[in-house]
Amino acid sequence: MRKELGMMAVAGLLTLGLGLFGCAGNDASTDQAAEPEATPNETTAEPEAEPAGDPVELQVFAANSLTKAMAEAQELYSQQNPNVKFADTQYEASGTLNEMLGAGQYADILITASKGTMDTAVEEGYVKEDTRQTMFNNDLVIVTKDGGELVGQDITLEDIAAGKYTLAVGDENVPAGNYACQSLTTVGGYIEPDGATGKDATGKGGEFSETLKPKVTLGGKVGDVCKYAETGEVDIAMVYTSDVYRMGGVAICSVVPNDTHKAITYPGAVCADSNNAEAAQAFLEWCMTDEDCAQIWEKWGFELAQD
């Protein structure tokens, strides 16, 4: 009898243990099910980028000698400012750019290759005078065909005036041609109506000397002038240092003395009829202050003007 009661007690204890075990298992399952699952909506979202601004397209009128440098600068600016794009930039002789504006063509920005042409733009009301600033400086050089027989020779203005070489210069619409003629007045190679010479000369309205006249070929663009020397059509040409970088194919014989012509500067300004004056002014300021852009100007032979 005691044996039967003992066995019944053991059986009862086992039954109670199994019951408690089952309850513990059910509680664990319930706890796991109660844990909330993470949902995509509860993850922390990254802040949205600030909008770049309203889309703007700028139309630039620029001197021919800026062709390659300006194209690189505009590409960099659009990378930094995705909302700003550039229309097909017009590269022409500075005088031609003024004629285009005078004929009613639209532009947001004008950059010329001489102070005189920007003076005209201000006088004619093509640009806003209070936005005008001198952007770059340049040098006038005498070049010849790269690899040609004149490479390494120090050719002087006196040599040119004496008729020793055939010469290419820009016509009166091309500032580089004006500077060349100003320089030639100092040695009698170009005569202005009022007899002005050097920095007092305009490089316009005069005539080449009888000795030099048959030796001269005029070009409508400074790039064309450079090409005449590159192809050997003329012995030498008078162009900007920057033209040697952008055109290639020519070598510098000598630098024309700066005291024989007016300072070679590139003024820029916002056009009077611009519909994007604020964006245009921002681009001009960036051209003068951005460090990466400064490397572009230097690469193509331009020196940033100092205040």
Side-chain angles (χ1 to χ4, degrees), residues 111-112 114-115 118-119 131-138 263-269 284 287-288 303-307:
I111 304 176
T112 68
S114 73
K115 176 180 179 295
M118 186 58 78
D119 288 343
T131 68
R132 174 178 178 170
Q133 60 181 307
T134 299
M135 301 180 69
F136 316 112
N137 298 320
N138 217 326
I264 300 176
T265 60
Y266 286 67
L284 288 176
C287 285
M288 301 296 295
E303 179 183 346
L304 283 173
Q306 301 298 316
D307 294 335

Side-chain angles (χ1 to χ4, degrees), residues 134-247:
T134 299
M135 301 180 69
F136 316 112
N137 298 320
N138 217 326
D139 289 315
L140 187 68
V141 293
I142 298 168
V143 301
T144 189
K145 179 180 180 179
D146 192 17
E149 60 184 14
L150 295 180
V151 172
Q153 294 197 29
D154 184 16
I155 297 175
T156 66
L157 292 172
E158 288 79 6
D159 293 333
I160 296 173
K164 292 183 178 181
Y165 309 100
T166 55
L167 168 71
V169 297
D171 65 24
E172 290 196 355
N173 266 338
V174 181
N178 303 147
Y179 294 125
C181 290
Q182 290 166 18
S183 295
L184 289 169
T185 62
T186 64
V187 291
Y190 186 84
I191 298 91
E192 295 212 345
D194 61 358
T197 61
K199 293 184 176 182
D200 296 326
T202 63
K204 297 181 179 181
E207 293 185 352
F208 293 98
S209 68
E210 291 299 320
T211 300
L212 189 53
K213 191 173 184 178
K215 301 280 189 176
V216 175
T217 298
L218 297 177
K221 299 179 180 180
V222 68
D224 294 340
V225 174
C226 208
K227 279 292 184 183
Y228 293 148
E230 179 187 356
T231 60
E233 186 171 338
V234 297
D235 297 324
I236 58 174
M238 298 176 75
V239 298
Y240 297 135
T241 301
S242 57
D243 295 312
V244 178
Y245 286 83
R246 77 182 179 100
M247 299 298 294

